[in-house]
């Protein structure tokens, strides 16, 4: 496990990444999404957002959801989080098909306005920990650690309206990570960050996911990010979307990997358009 | 006119080059107000002195101040203020209580919302003082009628504002709350109420303004006959005995209470919605 995280920070290092690194050993998926179809009701019409989505996430597995804008990635995430009920199909999490919102699937939303405006940065992270039963000193310590991790230590007494968009997202990331849930649902959490901060947080997330044994369902636009963070990539296509492919990228170790280019090319082809070159790809 | 940065450049002789306008806008706001007030009072005093206005029509600031102080010291104004504020508090409490019931119904049921919308659009534009004649018939010339019109003045602005506040709570924040496992009362207390606070405060502000004007007006309508003993009664009685300084002292009391409450609301807003950047307007 250790060499995987060092891959992220120093990719030049030739390394041996063993197959048993991945969480393939566990047989029962933590999350399974089967033929899920989701519609929104807009006045009298139904807007179909997702036509047929099927994929699984094993315990401790990091699954990336990738697809063009408006194809229903956020919608799928919200269904898994329990905010939207599918029209048909089945979602089961930890053996239960009764999907209601809960902190065992901590969410980082795509929207900037997901922090409580009346709480400081610190309180925004402490409060969820208190609500989910941590003692005050424990919650404070945990919150401080994660706020430091996302680089917001100096801003911890500020209110959300005094933060930039990217800083707000980092607070939301710290809040979700601090909860230490069995599964994290993250909706383009690094979308609004500069390349350097993004690379650092991607590394932090990778390290943390290893340490905390958390499963990850992660929405992104970026093929490079998907390759960097993911064990598997679920490629969505069309609107309403269907799953075009599920690609195993466990063995890809950064852009220096000989397979990187070819996998990247095939993902681009699946997405139907040349993927944007990520500035942090080459580092 | 604003002072431009050029005029403020280091080394400029500010003391020598300031115009009167610039030095005035440089004073702190409270000091500017105190100066204007002092000048107004001085002009008033001089006018009364110089024009030999009859004592039965107009009072000098000095006489008003004397009446004000003695009225508070001998308990007359204090007693009247107490009576008025008590009826106001009961009326507002009943109004707020009913508003909460309406809000709950309107937030959780569509019928409740429709009913609230209808009643508000019918009754909110109606000055509450207009139903005083009816209230007097129903309750008599007594405090109950006052409480009723005050409650009516309070209930609609609060119900409509809080309902709007609840219905417009940011859906992402609601999802965050639910994601933490919050349900029922906990979700209301920790997410809905604080998220709706700007609306709640502005509802209470409007309600207070309506209630305060309504109760003073109602007491004045009662005249000396009602004998409620409130501030309106105090002014009526003083007018009846042609004690003009007392009439003014009553008016000053009403204005001062209005100012104090306004300042209280401003402080509350600065500590909450403004501090949190939640202010909808301005
Ligand atoms: N609340 C809603 N009501 C109606 N339609 C919606 C709603 N939310 C999303 N949609 C529609 O559902 C479709 C999928 O939206 P979704 O937000 O899941 O896309 P996405 O893949 O997350 O896009 P992006 O990458 O831009 O965030 C879109 O066509 C969108 O217009
Ligand atoms: Mg989205």
């Amino acid at each position: 496990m250790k060499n995987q995280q060092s891959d992220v920070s120093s990719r030049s290092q030739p390394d041996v990444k063993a197959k048993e690194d991945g969480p393939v050993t566990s047989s029962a998926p933590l999350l399974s999404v089967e033929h899920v179809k989701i519609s929104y009701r807009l006045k009298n019409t139904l807007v179909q957002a997702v036509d047929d989505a099927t994929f699984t996430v094993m315990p401790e597995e990091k699954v990336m959801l990738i697809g063009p804008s408006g194809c229903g990635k956020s919608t799928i995430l919200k269904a898994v989080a329990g905010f939207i009920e599918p029209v048909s199909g089945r979602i089961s999490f930890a053996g239960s098909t009764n999907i209601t919102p809960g902190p065992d699937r901590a969410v980082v939303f795509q929207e900037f306005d997901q922090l409580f405006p009346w709480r400081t940065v610190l309180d925004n992270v402490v409060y969820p920990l208190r609500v989910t039963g941590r003692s005050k000193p424990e919650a404070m310590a945990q919150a401080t650690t994660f706020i430091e991790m996302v680089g917001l230590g100096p801003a911890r007494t500020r209110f959300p309206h005094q933060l930039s968009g990217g800083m707000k997202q980092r607070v939301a990331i710290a809040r979700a990570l601090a909860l230490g849930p069995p599964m994290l649902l993250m909706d383009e959490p690094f979308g609004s960050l500069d390349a350097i901060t993004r690379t650092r947080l991607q590394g932090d997330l990778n390290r943390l996911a290893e340490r905390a044994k958390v499963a990850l369902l992660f929405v992104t636009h970026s093929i490079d990010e998907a390759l960097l963070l993911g064990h598997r990539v679920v490629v969505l296509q069309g609107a309403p979307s269907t799953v075009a492919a599920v690609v195993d990228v466990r063995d890809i170790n950064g852009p220096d990997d000989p397979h990187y280019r070819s996998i990247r090319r095939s993902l681009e082809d699946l997405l139907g358009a040349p993927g944007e070159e990520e500035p942090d790809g080459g580092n | 006119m604003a002072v431009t940065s050029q005029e403020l450049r280091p080394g400029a002789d500010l003391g020598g080059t300031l115009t009167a306008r610039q030095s005035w806008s440089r004073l702190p706001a409270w000091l500017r107000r105190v100066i204007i007030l002092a000048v107004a009072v001085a002009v008033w005093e001089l006018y009364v002195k110089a024009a030999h206005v009859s004592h039965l029509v107009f009072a000098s600031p000095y006489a008003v101040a004397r009446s004000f102080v003695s009225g508070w010291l001998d308990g007359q104004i204090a007693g009247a203020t107490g009576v008025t504020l008590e009826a106001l508090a009961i009326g507002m409490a009943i109004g707020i209580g009913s508003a909460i019931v309406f809000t709950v119904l309107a937030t959780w049921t569509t019928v409740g919302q429709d009913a609230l919308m209808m009643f508000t659009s019918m009754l909110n534009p109606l000055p509450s003082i207009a139903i005083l004649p009816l209230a007097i018939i129903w309750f008599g010339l007594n405090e109950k009628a006052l409480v009723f019109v005050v409650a009516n003045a309070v209930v609609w602005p609060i119900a409509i504002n809080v309902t709007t506040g609840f219905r417009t709570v940011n859906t992402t924040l609601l999802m965050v709350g639910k994601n933490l496992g919050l349900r029922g009362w906990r979700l209301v207390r920790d997410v809905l109420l604080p998220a709706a606070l700007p609306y709640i405060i502005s509802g209470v502000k409007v309600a207070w303004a309506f209630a305060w004007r309504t109760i003073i007006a109602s007491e004045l309508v009662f005249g000396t006959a009602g004998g409620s003993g409130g501030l309106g009664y105090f002014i009526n009685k003083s007018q009846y005995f042609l004690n003009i300084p007392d009439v003014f002292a009553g008016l000053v009391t009403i204005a001062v209470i209005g100012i104090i409450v306004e300042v209280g609301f401003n402080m509350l807003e600065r500590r909450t919605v403004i501090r949190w950047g939640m202010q909808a307007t301005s």
Side-chain angles (χ1 to χ4, degrees), chain B residues 113-124:
Chain B
Q113 194 196 10
D114 294 341
L116 180 66
M117 293 309 269
M118 201 189 73
F119 282 122
T120 321
S121 52
M122 275 168 28
L123 294 176
N124 205 25

Side-chain angles (χ1 to χ4, degrees), chain A residues 65-247:
Chain A
L65 267 183
I66 196 166
S69 179
C71 74
K73 304 181 295 296
S74 300
T75 304
I76 291 175
L77 213 72
K78 282 174 184 164
V80 171
F83 298 122
I84 308 174
E85 209 178 326
V87 179
S88 63
R90 210 171 65 117
I91 299 177
S92 76
F93 176 78
S96 163
T97 51
N98 181 21
I99 303 294
T100 54
D104 51 358
R105 282 148 293 140
V107 185
V108 176
F109 292 92
Q110 191 174 8
E111 290 84 4
F112 283 167
D113 49 8
Q114 61 183 305
L115 301 180
F116 298 119
W118 54 91
R119 295 185 188 279
T120 60
V121 166
L122 183 64
D123 269 352
N124 260 289
V125 183
V126 167
Y127 171 76
L129 292 166
R130 296 286 289 143
V131 165
T132 51
R134 265 64 144 216
S135 72
K136 205 168 199 160
E138 194 190 339
M140 287 297 269
Q142 184 88 341
T144 308
T145 309
F146 282 89
I147 289 171
E148 297 286 343
M149 193 198 87
V150 297
L152 287 176
R156 68 186 175 283
T157 56
R158 290 208 220 158
F159 287 97
H161 75 105
Q162 299 161 326
L163 304 177
S164 73
M167 290 163 91
K168 287 182 202 167
Q169 287 312 83
R170 282 187 276 157
V171 178
I173 293 164
R175 169 170 73 187
L177 295 180
L179 281 169
M183 182 163 207
L184 269 172
L185 309 176
M186 304 180 95
D187 198 345
E188 296 183 40
F190 304 144
S192 56
L193 302 181
D194 62 282
I196 295 169
T197 311
R198 187 186 325 159
T199 309
R200 216 195 55 233
L201 286 180
Q202 284 166 343
D204 284 336
L205 181 62
N206 254 343
R207 261 187 293 285
L208 207 93
E210 300 297 340
R211 183 149 40 91
K213 309 219 173 299
V214 62
L216 184 63
L217 184 57
F218 189 106
V219 171
T220 179
H221 274 133
S222 156
I223 295 177
D224 293 289
E225 186 168 66
L227 291 174
L228 185 64
L229 293 176
H231 290 142
R232 283 190 298 150
V233 180
V234 176
V235 183
L236 296 173
Q237 217 175 31
S241 54
T242 52
V243 175
V246 180
V247 184

Side-chain angles (χ1 to χ4, degrees), chain A residues 101-103 105 107 113 127 161, chain B residues 170 175 179 182-183 190 275:
Chain A
R105 282 148 293 140
V107 185
D113 49 8
Y127 171 76
H161 75 105
Chain B
N170 181 327
M175 286 196 281
N179 186 234
L182 299 179
R183 303 276 186 280
D190 287 4
R275 184 163 179 238

Side-chain angles (χ1 to χ4, degrees), chain B residues 24 42 95 99 105 251 261:
Chain B
W24 172 252
L105 291 176
L251 293 178
V261 173

